[in-house]
Amino acid sequence: MNKGGTRKVFVTRKIPEPGLDRLRIACDVDINPSDRALTKEEIISGIKGKDGLLCLLTDPIDQEVITSEPRLKMIATYAVGYDNIDVTAATKHGIPVSNTPGVLTETTAELAWALLFSVARRIVEGDSYTRAGHFRGWAPQLMLGQDVAYKTLGIIGAGRIGTAFALKSKGFNMTVLYTDEQRNETIEHELGAKKVSLAELLKTSDYVSIHAPLIPTTHHLIREQELRMMKPTAILINTARGPIIDESALIRALKKHWIFGAGLDVYENEPTIPDELKTLPNVVLQPHTGSGTIETRTKMALMAAENLIVGLQGKRPPNCINTEVFQK
Ligand code: DGY
């Protein structure tokens, strides 16, 4: 604490103003002045003398960062995914870590559907074609896509976002399959969804959408072997984390038409995207904006700020990931 008793916090990049305003009421706030992701060294320098850290999914918060400032008491990330944070190291040092679950569920599920339709009906390709002046009138075989209604939807990871995504299929009368460690009674009851093995899901689904977290068991869950199981008419959507798919295998699958197409919001080595992927017409690429609406990003900012403030008061933040810190 400084002499006024105010907690000092570092925010690694400007987030929506309502969140910063909330933080400023309770804390002395230092914000990265440049609108770019910081390097690890810059983050270490930014948290010097700080009690709290508000970080982003682009920030590498590893053991070195966590232990670089002995005053550090709380880490709040402005994201639901936290694969960029060494939570084990934070727990070992008694530092609570929080995320922003719930508020971005519908928004991310909506983006997955937007990608699904964009690929199925070749919306981006059609837009470029039309703008380029190639449209010479209706034609029987012009830019044909895939139907969505009555098809089979396969969901990899039926947590909050996977569930919201599945429920939105109701209007399209789809058969819904899912993989998850646990049974999902909501989608089983609401949609008649069936829990199956990954192989069965990949072989049977017309649309496969990934909603699993990036953990060691989901890294490269979809490789060449899995892509080859999919139907040549199938479409793969990923709004979760890039490294869940082996990107070079996906490029081969798209080039050789093992599958019809893909819609990606996330990449294996963000922000780098292989040039080859960018040349393919059967993939729609989005710049990791799953939660990117004005309303949702504002809610995420307020949630991250609230978590940080509560954690700095020595209390359990509402969205604490490592609750065991408070059980010691
Ligand atoms: C998250 O919060 O993890 C999302 O990827 C942000 O879009």
Side-chain angles (χ1 to χ4, degrees):
M1 267 195 274
N2 67 14
K3 59 179 166 35
T6 312
R7 299 290 185 180
K8 292 184 170 193
V9 301
F10 181 58
V11 179
T12 60
R13 193 162 178 177
K14 201 171 178 304
I15 58 168
E17 213 50 51
L20 294 174
D21 285 345
R22 177 71 193 92
L23 264 187
R24 287 188 190 106
I25 294 170
C27 307
D28 185 347
V29 185
D30 183 11
I31 308 168
N32 161 19
S34 65
D35 190 23
R36 64 168 176 85
L38 296 179
T39 63
K40 182 167 141 179
E41 290 66 37
E42 289 170 321
I43 297 168
I44 289 177
S45 149
I47 60 174
K48 276 212 168 57
K50 303 294 192 299
D51 304 290
L53 171 65
L54 195 152
C55 62
L56 314 177
L57 62 89
T58 45
D59 299 328
I61 310 298
D62 62 9
Q63 164 142 336
E64 196 187 340
V65 174
I66 290 166
T67 54
S68 69
E69 175 46 66
R71 282 175 64 141
L72 195 65
K73 289 172 200 69
M74 170 73 203
I75 299 170
T77 186
Y78 175 74
V80 69
Y82 48 85
D83 46 279
N84 59 313
I85 303 174
D86 187 342
V87 179
T88 309
T91 307
K92 200 169 134 206
H93 292 88
I95 300 173
V97 180
S98 66
N99 65 343
T100 60
V103 289
L104 48 71
T105 299
E106 297 293 328
T107 311
T108 308
E110 285 173 9
L111 186 85
W113 275 101
L115 284 171
L116 187 154
F117 273 104
S118 300
V119 184
R121 300 304 300 271
R122 302 172 64 177
I123 301 293
V124 176
E125 233 185 312
D127 181 84
S128 308
Y129 177 90
T130 310
R131 283 173 201 267
H134 300 312
F135 179 49
R136 303 266 182 261
W138 187 90
Q141 304 222 53
L142 178 61
M143 217 162 275
L144 305 184
Q146 303 285 344
D147 278 331
V148 173
Y150 301 102
K151 293 285 184 74
T152 298
L153 184 63
I155 292 155
I156 299 179
R160 274 182 295 257
I161 299 172
T163 301
F165 175 81
L167 292 174
K168 292 183 197 308
S169 72
K170 262 189 179 172
F172 300 105
N173 297 302
M174 301 175 90
T175 298
V176 180
L177 306 176
Y178 72 97
T179 62
D180 201 286
E181 280 176 9
Q182 289 162 20
R183 269 192 61 193
N184 184 320
E185 287 178 15
T186 305
I187 60 172
E188 287 190 11
H189 179 255
E190 294 280 323
L191 307 165
K194 193 172 156 214
K195 184 172 177 315
V196 293
S197 67
L198 180 62
E200 186 179 342
L201 182 140
L202 293 170
K203 284 178 194 162
T204 324
S205 299
D206 299 296
Y207 296 93
V208 174
S209 191
I210 303 176
H211 299 284
L214 176 62
I215 50 176
T217 51
T218 60
H219 181 267
H220 280 195
L221 185 70
I222 306 296
R223 302 157 297 171
E224 173 162 340
Q225 188 186 319
E226 286 71 29
L227 289 160
R228 282 184 181 276
M229 287 180 191
M230 293 175 70
K231 298 180 187 179
T233 49
I235 288 171
L236 178 63
I237 305 297
N238 190 8
T239 53
R241 284 293 182 265
I244 296 175
I245 300 178
D246 175 347
E247 214 163 63
S248 52
L250 177 62
I251 292 171
R252 288 197 296 283
L254 292 167
K255 280 175 75 175
K256 296 182 179 170
H257 302 284
W258 301 341
I259 61 173
F260 184 80
L264 306 175
D265 185 41
V266 289
Y267 306 90
E268 194 162 354
N269 299 298
E270 286 181 25
T272 305
I273 300 177
D275 286 337
E276 216 178 352
L277 191 59
K278 290 186 249 175
T279 64
L280 300 174
N282 53 348
V283 62
V284 173
L285 308 174
Q286 189 68 9
H288 201 154
T289 58
S291 62
T293 65
I294 297 164
E295 300 97 309
T296 293
R297 288 284 164 87
T298 302
K299 286 181 199 158
M300 287 165 66
L302 286 166
M303 197 175 206
E306 202 55 42
N307 276 303
L308 191 52
I309 293 166
V310 173
L312 288 177
Q313 288 164 351
K315 294 186 266 181
R316 180 171 153 172
N319 311 103
C320 189
I321 296 161
N322 53 349
T323 50
E324 56 273 36
V325 165
F326 294 92
Q327 280 149 19
K328 282 177 186 164

